[in-house]
Amino acid sequence: MQTFMEQLPTVIGALNVGFLQTLKLFVVTLLGAVPLGLIIAFGAMSKVKILKVLCRGLIWIIRGTPLMIQLLIIYFFPGLVLANNVWGGGETGRFIAACVAFIVNYACYFAEIYRGGIQSVPVGQEEAGMVLGMTRRQIFFNVTLLQMIKRIVPPMSNEILTLVKDTSLARIIAMQEIIWAGQAFMKGSQGISGAIWPLFFTAIYYLIFNGILTVLLRKLEEKLEFFQ
Amino acid sequence: MAILEVKGINKTFDDTLVLKDISFVLEENQVLAIIGSSGGGKTTLLRCLNFLETPEEGEMWIHDKKIFDGLENKTLSEAQIRENRLHFGLVFQSFNLFPQYTALGNVMLARQLEAKSKPDYGKNKKEIEAAIEKQAKELLTQMGLEDRMDNYPHQLSGGQCQRVAIARALAMSPDILCFDEPTSALDPELTGEVLRVIKELSERDNTMIIVTHEMAFAREVADKIIFMDDGRIVEEGPPEQIFENPKSERLQEFLQSMITV
Ligand SMILES: Nc1ncnc2c1ncn2[C@@H]1O[C@H](COP(=O)(O)OP(=O)(O)O)[C@@H](O)[C@H]1O
Ligand SMILES: [Mg+2]
C-alpha cells in the first residue's frame, strides 16, 4: 500500500491529462459557439420566415432538453441508428462528438443573449447615425456594436463559467476529462483504488480555473464601464 | 427662391393616413415652426424629410433638385438616399447621443467616418482629422460647451446633451436643420439654455424647421408657423396672423388649450 505522498504525483499527473482534455473542450466550444451563436441569432431575427422558424425551433429544442441527452444522441445516433459511426472509435471520436454537442448547445444559449443585446440597443441610436449620413455598416461597427457588447458581457460571463462545469457532462460518453480521470482511482487505476480524494482534487482544479476566469471577465466588464 | 418645397406628401401606417397631402414651401434662412396637438403627424413629417420614413406619395425639392418622389423612390440606391438625406439635419426629442463617445467624439464621428471612406484620406490624414476636430470644437464652443467636450453623455445634463446633439447635427452642415420638440424631454429649468442656442442659430442665417410646444418661443423665432392637426396642415402663416388672428376653429381651440395649461 502506497502512502498518500507516494500516490500524489501519479494522481496529479492523471488529473493534469484529464484537465487538459477539459480545457480543450472548453476552448473549442467557445471558439465554435461564439460565432455560431451570432449566426443563429441573426437567423432567429431574420425576415425570412423559414430561417426564423428553423432557428427559433432549434433554440427551443436545445434549450428545452438536457445537454446530457444531446450528448448521448449526437454520439450514439449515427452508429446505432444510421449504422455509420461517423465519430470513429477512441478518445478522438468521443472528443469530436462532445465538441459538436457542446458547440450547438452553447451557440443556442449565446444566440438568445446576442438577440437580447441587439434588441436592447434603442432604435434611436441607429436613426441618429442614419440622419448623420452613416452607412449601415458604419453604424453597426461604430455605434451599436460596443453597446451590444457591454450588454452581453455579464450574461455571457455567467454562461462561460457554467460551461467550465458543464464540460464534466462529457464524462457520459466516456470522454476522458478531469472527472473521468479522478474517478478512475475509485475503481482502480495505476495501482490506486478505492480513493475518493482525487475527486476532491478535481474540484480544486475547477475552482482555480473558474476563479481566474471570473477575474478576467470582471476586468472586461470594468473596461466597458466608462459609458452607460 | 424657395430652399425647400414639399408637395402632396401622403404617409400611411398600417392603413391609416397619418400625413394627408402635406405641401409647403420654405425660403432660405427662414425659420418654420410647426405646432399642433400630439398625434397630429409632426414627428412623422420630420422623419419623412430626414428619410427615416418613406411617404407613399409626394415630392420633395431642395432648390431646383428633386430629392424625393413617391413614384420613383424604390429605384433609389442606399447611397443616393444618404446623399439626399444630408440636405437635412435632425435633432431628436430624446437626443440619441452615442453613449460611448465624448461630447467631442459625438460631434466628430460622422465626419471622421465620411473622411475615412474617401480615397485621399490616407495621404492627408493629419490635416483632415485636425480640420474635423477644429470644426467640432468651434461648434461645441458656440453651444457654450467648451469645458464639457471630454465628458461622456451620462456625465452631462439633459440641456447639455441636447446642445451636443445640436452641434452634432450642425457638423454635417445641413441645408435645413430640423428639431423635434427639442426641449420636451428636459426639466423646465433646462429648456431656456436650449431655446437660447436655437434662437442664436436662427439669427445666424440658418434655415430651420422646429416642432415645438413652446408657443412664446415659436412666436419669437419663427418667420412662419404651420399648424397641423390630424395629419393635415390646417393653417399656415406668419406668427402674428397665427397667434392673433387664427381663422380655423381647430387652431383657436388649440391655442386656447395651450393658454389654460
Ligand atoms: N411607427 C409607427 N407605426 C404606427 N403608427 C405610427 C407610427 N409612428 C407614428 N404613428 C402614428 O401616427 C400618428 C402621428 O404621430 P406623430 O407623427 O408622432 O405625431 P406628433 O409628433 O404630432 O405627436 C399618430 O397617430 C401615431 O400613433
Ligand atoms: Mg412628436
Side-chain angles (χ1 to χ4, degrees):
Chain A
M1 186 76 193
Q2 288 178 306
T3 64
F4 174 77
M5 287 317 283
E6 284 163 350
Q7 291 175 342
L8 193 59
T10 316
V11 169
I12 295 290
L15 292 188
N16 281 347
V17 173
F19 184 66
L20 194 66
Q21 200 70 340
T22 295
L23 203 59
K24 267 163 64 187
L25 180 58
F26 171 78
V27 171
V28 171
T29 301
L30 273 190
L31 290 180
V34 165
L36 181 62
L38 202 56
I39 294 168
I40 298 175
F42 282 127
M45 290 184 293
S46 166
K47 290 196 181 85
V48 185
K49 190 92 194 261
I50 321 169
L51 203 59
K52 184 166 139 172
V53 170
L54 277 177
C55 288
R56 297 213 169 166
L58 179 69
I59 291 173
W60 178 66
I61 291 170
I62 295 293
R63 300 208 319 159
T65 56
L67 175 52
M68 193 184 284
I69 295 180
Q70 295 161 20
L71 265 166
L72 289 170
I73 289 176
I74 285 177
Y75 185 59
F76 288 113
F77 190 83
L80 294 181
V81 181
L82 306 178
N84 175 17
N85 183 4
V86 292
W87 310 118
E91 178 65 5
T92 313
R94 291 191 289 268
F95 176 72
I96 295 171
C99 286
V100 171
F102 271 81
I103 287 173
V104 172
N105 181 278
Y106 269 82
C108 287
Y109 282 93
F110 290 170
E112 283 298 275
I113 293 175
Y114 295 152
R115 196 156 70 93
I118 290 168
Q119 289 173 345
S120 70
V121 177
V123 280
Q125 290 291 306
E126 189 175 356
E127 291 181 349
M130 278 161 63
V131 298
L132 293 167
M134 296 183 201
T135 64
R136 285 189 181 276
R137 208 188 140 78
Q138 288 172 336
I139 293 171
F140 179 76
F141 285 107
N142 297 282
V143 176
T144 31
L145 183 61
L146 194 62
Q147 297 181 46
M148 286 173 200
I149 291 174
K150 184 181 169 78
R151 286 176 173 86
I152 66 173
V153 164
M156 286 291 278
S157 301
N158 280 337
E159 288 300 330
I160 289 169
L161 296 179
T162 306
L163 170 61
V164 174
K165 295 172 281 172
D166 271 2
T167 52
S168 61
L169 289 172
R171 158 94 194 71
I172 199 70
I173 57 170
M175 201 195 92
Q176 297 167 14
E177 45 71 67
I178 187 167
I179 301 231
W180 181 91
Q183 222 180 355
F185 296 109
M186 289 168 70
K187 294 183 214 139
S189 167
Q190 301 180 66
I192 305 169
S193 67
I196 184 94
W197 63 268
L199 221 42
F200 284 101
F201 270 57
T202 66
I204 294 170
Y205 277 77
Y206 283 110
L207 280 175
I208 291 175
F209 187 53
N210 256 346
I212 294 169
L213 278 179
T214 306
V215 170
L216 291 177
L217 290 167
R218 178 72 205 129
K219 278 240 164 69
L220 182 61
E221 265 181 65
E222 276 167 10
K223 272 231 154 67
L224 292 168
E225 267 166 12
F226 72 94
F227 73 94
Q228 272 171 20
Chain B
M1 193 200 53
I3 189 171
L4 170 68
E5 186 165 4
V6 173
K7 295 182 192 172
I9 294 282
N10 281 327
K11 171 71 195 166
T12 54
F13 282 123
D14 321 315
D15 297 335
T16 40
L17 258 178
V18 295
L19 292 180
K20 300 166 188 168
D21 196 20
I22 300 290
S23 303
F24 65 91
V25 293
L26 184 62
E27 303 296 328
E28 191 140 16
N29 302 338
Q30 264 197 342
V31 176
L32 165 66
I34 303 179
I35 60 172
S37 39
S38 89
K42 305 180 297 298
T43 296
T44 307
L45 175 57
L46 290 191
R47 289 174 61 84
C48 287
L49 293 178
N50 282 276
F51 295 80
L52 292 176
E53 306 287 353
T54 312
E56 284 77 30
E57 284 172 73
E59 294 175 7
M60 285 159 26
W61 295 71
I62 289 271
H63 293 302
D64 274 341
K65 186 176 155 224
K66 184 157 71 177
I67 60 161
F68 177 82
D69 187 335
L71 299 174
E72 297 166 4
N73 183 258
K74 289 191 181 70
T75 61
L76 283 185
S77 73
E78 220 186 302
Q80 283 168 312
I81 292 176
R82 220 166 34 245
E83 191 188 319
N84 289 336
R85 158 188 285 150
L86 281 175
H87 289 288
F88 296 91
L90 178 59
V91 173
F92 297 86
Q93 189 173 342
S94 50
F95 330 135
N96 296 348
L97 290 182
F98 307 132
Q100 73 269 44
Y101 293 92
T102 60
L104 188 63
N106 265 274
V107 180
M108 296 196 302
L109 181 63
R111 274 262 177 254
Q112 285 172 324
L113 294 173
E114 185 193 36
K116 272 183 200 151
S117 66
K118 294 210 171 117
D120 65 340
Y121 179 76
K123 265 188 294 168
N124 311 316
K125 192 171 167 183
K126 276 231 173 70
E127 297 83 54
I128 294 173
E129 290 286 345
I132 292 171
E133 186 174 330
K134 182 165 175 281
Q135 181 218 24
K137 285 183 169 167
E138 279 168 10
L139 285 168
L140 285 167
T141 307
Q142 192 186 332
M143 295 293 123
L145 294 167
E146 53 275 25
D147 49 1
R148 289 294 188 183
M149 295 194 193
D150 297 324
N151 286 122
Y152 288 91
H154 75 271
Q155 299 165 324
L156 299 173
S157 72
Q160 290 167 336
C161 282
Q162 192 59 299
R163 285 184 282 150
V164 174
I166 294 170
R168 182 176 69 172
L170 287 170
M172 301 310 289
S173 315
D175 295 315
I176 301 167
L177 184 53
C178 306
F179 296 82
D180 189 8
E181 301 193 26
T183 58
S184 47
L186 300 177
D187 294 333
E189 73 269 20
L190 299 176
T191 60
E193 62 186 61
V194 172
L195 295 181
R196 213 169 307 123
V197 298
I198 298 175
K199 184 161 184 294
E200 271 167 34
L201 290 177
S202 75
E203 287 157 1
R204 290 186 183 209
D205 291 345
N206 286 289
T207 311
M208 304 196 287
I209 302 178
I210 308 170
V211 170
T212 184
H213 283 298
E214 308 274 346
M215 291 303 129
F217 174 71
R219 187 170 181 161
E220 196 183 338
V221 299
D223 301 293
K224 176 175 169 173
I225 309 259
I226 281 179
F227 169 63
M228 280 183 75
D229 190 52
D230 193 24
R232 270 180 229 285
I233 296 181
V234 178
E235 208 167 323
E236 64 176 287
E240 306 79 52
Q241 180 196 316
I242 294 289
F243 288 110
E244 276 157 34
N245 203 1
K247 295 192 181 63
S248 63
E249 214 170 286
R250 277 303 292 128
L251 177 54
Q252 289 164 10
E253 283 168 17
F254 173 73
L255 292 174
Q256 201 60 42
S257 72
M258 294 307 286
I259 292 165
T260 48
V261 289

